[in-house]
């Protein structure tokens, strides 16, 4: 089946130009992709003049209503029937498309997707998963990154299952190396939820993962973990810390190389290495966070993503559709009953709103 993807053309910092540009680049790489472009028809048609290859593979669904970046999830939900974001998600629900991609408000996208698509059987809460760079050739799958601020042991176990299946699809690992983020690696460290989740994962040896216990935050990017599981509060803080550190390193290098003539000469000599570093840390090369656990595929592109970044998010969405991630997660959960794992009444961040 050819992947058909709904694009929220109005989302993100630059809206139509970048969203259509990203879809066009993805279509250039993969001619089997087709699209439903959701948003202001006049703007979309004007943008398609620059992308004839995309125009030939797309339909337009007009709406002039847009979810703004400052909208709260409760405000966005009132726009769910008519906004470009809401209509893209509804197209997934109806089966008109296989996936939706948006660069809009994260909390609004989460709230709309959860309300429209609902969580799949065996999953209590959806999780936001993203790819993070490591020292090795493959990225790390990390979840949850902000959809749920407080998680119990059952949530964490379900996240581990979803993350492992996601890693299998994206990287082809048979049994991804999976760890829980903790304040130490000893079995006695961490909250009751972490220890209970670890015990359940160690006992479930039939799961499609190689569970290796706990890890600390300073080991995230070493390359010896394929799936890292945490609650959304800790995950969002860890993600923002990693992003800030990456910017700090690149800015510090730039400032150092500009400090003197000798430094500038040194920069010219070392430019191949610094270009490789910049490429490795560029978030556009890892763009495309996924709401796992829903009855449908919804991918969140970073609001400031470039055309290349949006294209990568579209490719992630298409890959998950083609490999039927929802069914694959369901197949694993059919043989693994998580209902007996302790639940302490975990809560979401407000009405599904993710930390900014």
């Amino acid at each position: 089946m050819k992947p058909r993807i709904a694009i929220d053309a109005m989302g993100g910092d630059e809206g139509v130009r970048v969203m259509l540009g990203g879809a066009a680049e993805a279509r250039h790489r993969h001619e089997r992709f087709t699209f439903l472009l959701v948003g202001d028809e006049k703007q979309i048609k004007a943008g398609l003049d620059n992308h004839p290859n995309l125009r030939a593979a797309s339909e337009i669904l007009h709406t002039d209503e847009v979810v703004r970046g400052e909208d709260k999830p409760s405000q966005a939900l009132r726009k769910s029937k008519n906004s470009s974001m809401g209509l893209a998600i509804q197209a997934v629900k109806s089966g008109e498309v296989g996936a939706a991609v948006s660069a809009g408000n994260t909390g609004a996208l989460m709230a709309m997707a959860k309300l429209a698509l609902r969580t799949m059987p065996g999953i209590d809460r959806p999780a936001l998963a993203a790819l993070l760079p490591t020292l090795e050739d493959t990225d790390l799958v990390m979840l949850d990154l902000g959809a749920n601020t407080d998680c119990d042991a059952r949530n964490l176990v379900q996240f581990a299952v979803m993350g492992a299946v996601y890693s299998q699809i994206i990287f082809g690992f048979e049994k991804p190396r999976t760890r829980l983020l903790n304040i130490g690696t000893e079995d006695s460290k961490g909250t009751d939820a972490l220890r209970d989740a670890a015990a359940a994962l160690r006992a479930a040896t039939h799961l499609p993962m190689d569970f290796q216990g706990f890890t600390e935050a300073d080991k995230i990017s070493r390359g010896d973990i394929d799936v890292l599981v945490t609650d959304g509060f800790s995950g969002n803080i860890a993600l923002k810390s990693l992003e800030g550190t990456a910017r700090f390193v690149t800015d510090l290098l730039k400032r150092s190389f500009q400090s003197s003539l000798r430094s500038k000469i040194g920069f010219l000599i070392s430019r191949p290495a610094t270009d490789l570093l910049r490429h490795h840390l560029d978030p556009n090369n890892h763009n495309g966070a996924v709401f796992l656990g829903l009855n449908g595929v919804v991918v969140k592109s970073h609001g400031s993503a470039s055309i290349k970044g949006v294209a990568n998010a579209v490719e992630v969405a298409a890959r998950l559709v083609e490999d039927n991630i929802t069914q694959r997660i369901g197949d694993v959960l059919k043989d693994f009953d998580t209902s007996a794992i302790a639940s302490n009444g975990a809560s979401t961040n407000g009405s599904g709103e993710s930390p900014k």
Side-chain angles (χ1 to χ4, degrees):
M1 182 180 69
K2 294 181 179 180
R4 189 164 190 256
I5 301 166
I7 303 291
D8 172 13
M10 313 309 290
D13 295 353
E14 293 192 55
V16 172
R17 185 188 74 82
V18 170
M19 297 306 293
L20 264 58
E25 183 168 321
R27 165 73 179 171
H28 181 72
R29 299 176 191 171
H30 308 278
E31 291 189 358
R32 67 186 184 280
F33 292 2
T34 59
F35 298 92
L36 177 67
L37 307 176
V38 188
D40 184 86
E41 186 173 16
K42 184 177 180 180
Q43 294 186 52
I44 292 174
K45 283 186 173 180
L48 288 175
D49 288 341
N50 298 318
H51 305 292
N53 71 317
L54 178 63
R55 181 170 53 205
S58 301
E59 294 182 31
I60 299 174
L61 178 58
H62 170 73
T63 180
D64 54 11
E65 191 161 344
V66 179
V67 173
R68 298 170 299 176
E70 63 271 19
D71 284 348
K72 295 180 179 179
S74 56
Q75 295 173 305
L77 287 174
R78 291 194 287 271
K79 301 178 180 180
S80 60
K81 292 184 178 180
N82 299 309
S83 66
S84 57
M85 181 185 291
L87 289 171
I89 294 171
Q90 286 296 327
V92 177
K93 181 180 180 180
S94 69
E96 186 177 357
V97 300
V101 176
S102 176
N105 182 314
T106 305
L109 186 65
M110 181 71 213
M112 282 190 190
K114 186 175 180 181
L115 180 65
L117 301 176
R118 304 294 181 179
T119 53
M120 58 185 295
I123 297 295
D124 296 329
R125 300 177 183 277
L128 183 61
L131 303 177
L132 304 182
T134 72
L135 289 175
E136 299 302 322
D137 294 333
T138 55
D139 292 337
L140 159 78
V141 175
M142 185 172 177
L143 72 166
D144 179 27
L145 294 176
N148 308 278
T149 56
D150 184 24
C151 297
D152 60 31
R154 189 161 67 212
N155 298 144
L156 295 173
V157 170
Q158 292 169 1
F159 294 172
V161 170
M162 295 191 294
V165 174
Y166 182 34
S167 182
Q168 285 180 320
I169 290 173
I170 296 297
F171 300 116
F173 297 136
E174 182 179 353
K175 301 193 74 172
R177 298 166 297 177
T178 304
R179 290 180 179 266
L180 292 165
L181 184 63
N182 203 346
I183 58 173
T185 58
E186 299 88 350
D187 292 345
S188 60
K189 290 289 182 72
T191 62
D192 290 342
L194 281 167
R195 293 195 298 272
D196 290 345
L201 289 169
R202 288 192 186 95
T205 55
H206 65 287
L207 290 177
M209 70 179 76
D210 176 13
F211 180 66
Q212 299 181 347
F214 300 132
T215 192
E216 295 176 275
D218 63 334
K219 304 295 193 303
I220 290 177
S221 301
R222 301 305 300 174
D224 57 354
I225 306 171
D226 301 316
V227 179
L228 181 62
V229 179
T230 183
D231 63 85
F233 186 83
S234 302
N236 193 269
I237 291 175
L239 175 64
K240 296 298 172 59
S241 298
L242 288 169
E243 292 175 342
T245 300
R247 286 194 296 270
F248 170 75
V249 170
T250 54
D251 290 347
L252 185 63
L253 284 172
K254 182 178 179 181
R255 181 181 299 178
S256 299
F257 283 132
Q258 293 175 343
S259 62
S260 67
L261 178 60
R262 179 179 294 178
S263 296
K264 292 177 181 178
I265 295 172
F267 168 73
L268 293 175
I269 296 172
S270 61
R271 186 163 186 171
T274 56
D275 286 346
L276 180 62
L277 174 65
R278 186 182 298 110
H279 174 81
H280 199 60
L281 297 179
D282 184 355
N284 288 294
N285 294 321
H286 316 277
N287 190 44
V290 184
F291 292 118
L292 295 177
L294 298 173
N295 290 301
V297 176
V298 177
V299 173
K300 171 67 173 72
S301 171
H302 200 288
S304 61
S306 66
I307 287 174
K308 179 177 71 173
V310 172
N312 287 338
V314 170
E315 289 184 331
V316 167
R319 185 75 178 273
L320 297 180
V321 171
E322 289 180 315
D323 284 272
N324 204 344
I325 187 171
T326 303
Q327 180 178 328
R328 288 181 60 170
I329 291 173
D331 288 344
V332 174
L333 290 172
K334 280 192 300 187
D335 299 323
F336 182 47
D337 183 8
T338 63
S339 61
I341 302 173
S343 173
N344 60 12
S347 62
T348 57
N349 181 19
S351 300
E353 183 175 6
S354 301
K356 301 296 184 184

